[in-house]
Each structure stands twice: as C-alpha cells, then as structure tokens.
Amino acid sequence: MPELPEVETVRSQLASEIVNKKIKDINIRMSKLIRSPLAQFKRVVAGSAVSTVERRAKILLIGLDSGYTILIHLKMTGQLVFKGKGRIKGGGHPIKDGTVGLPNKYSHIFFIFTDGTKLFFNDLRQFGYMRLVKNENLKEIFTNAKLGPEPLSGKFSYKQFEELLNNRKNSKIKPLLMDQTFIAGIGNIYAIETCFAAGVRPTRRVGSLTKSEKKKIYDNLIRILKLAVRKQGTSAKNFVDAYGEPGNYVPLLKIYGRRGQPCRQCRTTIKAIHLGGRGTTYCPKCQK
DNA sequence: TTCAATGTTTAGAC
DNA sequence: GGTCTAAACATTGA
C-alpha cells in the first residue's frame, strides 16, 4: 500500500478537490469492502457533503457534514482517484492503466458528487476497506488500534523516539519501525530506506544500537518521510499516478527493490532477506 | 508452467 | 504481551 507519504499525498490532493462537494450517490459494486452495515453506509453517505479530508497513520478520514466520518484504508493495492471535469486527480497504488477508463474492473466503489465529478476506489487485491464511524466514536477507534505517534506531527521528538525504543530492546529494528503501534505510518519501503540511510542492518536488535545509531535512524526517518511527502510519494514498479505520471520519489530510492544490484555508495552487491515475512534489502558493507 | 514476489493488516500460535 | 507465521487476493516476472 501506500505508506504515510503516499496517503498524505492522496489526502492533500483530495482535500483540494472534494471538500464542500455534496455526494449525490454512491455505487458499491463489491460490498465486502464496506466494513459497516451496508444500508446505513449508503443512507448516511448519499446526501452528505464532505467537510474535511484528514489522515491518521495510513488511514484516510473523509469527514461528512452529517456527523460521520468515512475511514478508508488502501492496504496494499488500493487507489482513490478523483475524476473531475476533464482532469483526473487523486492517487494511491500503481495499477497499470489504472486511470484509464474509469470505472474499470478494479473500481469497486465510487462516489458521484452533485456537480458530476466522481471519486473512484480501485483495489486490485481487494484488501482495502471503507468504514463509516460516528464522529463521537472516532477517538475510541483509534485508542483501540493503539496507534503509535505520527512521525511528522512536529511533536515527535528524538527523546520520545529513544524512550519508545527503550521499551522494545529485543525487537529487530526494521520490523519495529513498521509496527503501527510503535510509530504510525511507516511501511516496508521507508523502513528499508531508513535503515540504509542510517547505516544499520535491518536485523539489528534495538538493544544493540548505539546512541549515535539511534539518532541517525530518527534523523533519517524524519528526513526521508518529509522528502517523500514533498515528492508526492513513491511508486514502485510501473506506477502511474492519477495524473498518469510516476511517483517522484522513485529515483531517490537507494536500496528498496535493488536486490542483486550494486550499492550506490560502495558497489557491493545488495542482499535480500526475509524479515517478518517481508522482503528486505540491505547493503552488507554500508550497513553494520 | 509453476512458484515466488508485491506498497498491509490481523488473527492465531507459542 | 512480544514475536512470528499465514492468510485475505490478483497479477506479474523469473
């Protein structure tokens, strides 16, 4: 899926397009992706207007003027694509030709606004979901999810990071970075890139990290996430975003997906391992 | 052709 | 509860 920078990109693009638009109708072609009572979902959503578009972790929050919020998770392959009058905007996961001919075979749900514009929810692997929550219950939902701090909130200090690390000394650093209850929003790509930038092997136990290494992990994590947001996210493989262009962070990837290729820093062949069930690449020379 | 891979999360095992 | 595995699913590349 889109990780934090990709979801944040979708959020800001959508915010500029759909806030204050009224939803005339909603077309649900695959109801299993709606994780709320279907009748209620349709009844509340149709006729509501969008008041906010926000994000928590990798979850998009579309606030409605009816006192409800739609939670949307894109998981591995979800997309949200806005189709305005003549222009397409939005984003999410790369699907070849995903923006050609909407709705397409992956457009499982879509919203139709009163001005005739549309918002498509496409998902090749069908892992994503939408859920309708009363605003007064939102807090409880997030409390139960035990989501960690937002790394780009501005309140997430090195001191806090170090304290969190001290509670998980036995964890391997890379799977820990991806643990949403530890820090919210980091996925496979940015965890891998952060470890490389910090010069730390993904398999290192937190307890073995020096203070200098912890600081490098923190600094690079924040730096990379901010840069990726500015570049409107990463799209591996043959991604086309909703504008039909590849994600701008792709050329900046240093190690993700480069198994067997020479390290950009030292030319050593990049290794690949399985860690926590996820493909993980690292440079055996640059990362200690 | 077959197998392993893919940006995520969760339930269930120990 | 920390930590690990497998599963939800469709497609692609080796």
Side-chain angles (χ1 to χ4, degrees), chain A residues 63-134:
Chain A
L64 304 176
D65 65 352
S66 46
Y68 287 79
T69 295
I70 305 172
L71 273 58
I72 303 177
H73 204 307
L74 302 173
K75 288 289 185 83
M76 293 281 268
T77 55
Q79 294 185 321
L80 276 175
V81 181
F82 178 75
K83 193 173 182 185
K85 292 172 177 147
R87 273 187 78 115
I88 288 176
K89 202 168 186 176
H93 177 84
I95 293 174
K96 203 199 289 189
D97 299 329
T99 58
V100 177
L102 289 169
N104 58 41
K105 63 187 285 198
Y106 306 116
S107 305
H108 305 309
I109 298 165
F110 54 94
F111 301 86
I112 300 150
F113 299 100
T114 51
D115 64 357
T117 58
K118 291 172 183 162
L119 179 62
F120 296 90
F121 179 65
N122 307 331
D123 193 351
L124 183 149
R125 289 174 74 177
Q126 306 166 17
F127 291 172
Y129 66 81
M130 286 192 191
R131 188 178 169 189
L132 188 67
V133 175
K134 263 189 179 168

Side-chain angles (χ1 to χ4, degrees), chain A residues 30-287:
Chain A
M30 191 178 282
S31 55
K32 72 169 184 178
L33 303 187
I34 306 280
R35 290 203 196 162
S36 296
L38 198 55
Q40 184 213 26
F41 188 92
K42 283 182 183 168
R43 174 168 49 77
V44 171
V45 170
S48 290
V50 175
S51 46
T52 57
V53 184
E54 296 176 295
R55 177 189 62 77
R56 175 74 172 101
K58 302 171 190 172
I59 302 166
L60 273 163
L61 309 169
I62 299 185
L64 304 176
D65 65 352
S66 46
Y68 287 79
T69 295
I70 305 172
L71 273 58
I72 303 177
H73 204 307
L74 302 173
K75 288 289 185 83
M76 293 281 268
T77 55
Q79 294 185 321
L80 276 175
V81 181
F82 178 75
K83 193 173 182 185
K85 292 172 177 147
R87 273 187 78 115
I88 288 176
K89 202 168 186 176
H93 177 84
I95 293 174
K96 203 199 289 189
D97 299 329
T99 58
V100 177
L102 289 169
N104 58 41
K105 63 187 285 198
Y106 306 116
S107 305
H108 305 309
I109 298 165
F110 54 94
F111 301 86
I112 300 150
F113 299 100
T114 51
D115 64 357
T117 58
K118 291 172 183 162
L119 179 62
F120 296 90
F121 179 65
N122 307 331
D123 193 351
L124 183 149
R125 289 174 74 177
Q126 306 166 17
F127 291 172
Y129 66 81
M130 286 192 191
R131 188 178 169 189
L132 188 67
V133 175
K134 263 189 179 168
N135 287 348
E136 61 205 62
N137 296 332
L138 269 183
K139 201 168 186 177
E140 186 190 345
I141 300 271
F142 289 126
T143 304
N144 290 342
K146 295 181 168 39
L147 289 172
E150 286 290 330
L152 298 188
S153 70
K155 297 178 195 161
F156 182 62
S157 63
Y158 173 68
K159 193 178 168 209
Q160 186 185 0
F161 179 64
E162 195 176 28
E163 282 169 6
L164 288 172
L165 283 179
N166 287 338
N167 297 329
R168 306 288 287 272
K169 286 203 154 81
N170 200 36
S171 299
K172 292 173 180 170
I173 184 61
K174 186 241 172 184
L176 181 62
L177 290 174
M178 294 172 64
D179 183 341
Q180 300 302 295
T181 67
F182 181 69
I183 302 175
I186 301 162
N188 205 29
I189 292 181
Y190 297 110
I192 288 173
E193 292 291 316
T194 296
C195 288
F196 178 76
V200 169
R201 292 216 185 171
T203 47
R204 283 280 296 281
R205 302 270 173 185
V206 168
S208 78
L209 296 171
T210 66
K211 171 132 187 171
S212 154
E213 286 173 330
K214 293 177 192 174
K215 187 70 166 53
K216 277 186 193 165
I217 292 169
Y218 172 85
D219 287 344
N220 282 291
L221 177 63
I222 304 297
R223 178 183 64 79
I224 287 170
L225 288 177
K226 279 187 178 169
L227 180 58
V229 169
R230 201 157 67 236
K231 295 292 181 184
Q232 311 210 5
T234 299
S235 345
K237 303 195 174 175
N238 47 6
F239 170 73
V240 286
D241 75 4
Y243 296 111
E245 292 173 14
N248 297 320
Y249 195 85
V250 176
L252 299 178
L253 290 174
K254 298 277 200 297
I255 191 111
Y256 171 83
R258 301 195 65 248
R259 161 205 311 239
Q261 297 176 49
C263 171
R264 294 196 199 282
Q265 284 181 28
C266 75
R267 316 313 294 168
T268 299
T269 300
I270 291 169
K271 282 200 168 184
I273 54 171
H274 257 86
L275 197 50
R278 308 300 302 281
T280 303
T281 47
Y282 70 94
C283 171
K285 189 170 176 190
C286 294
Q287 291 171 265

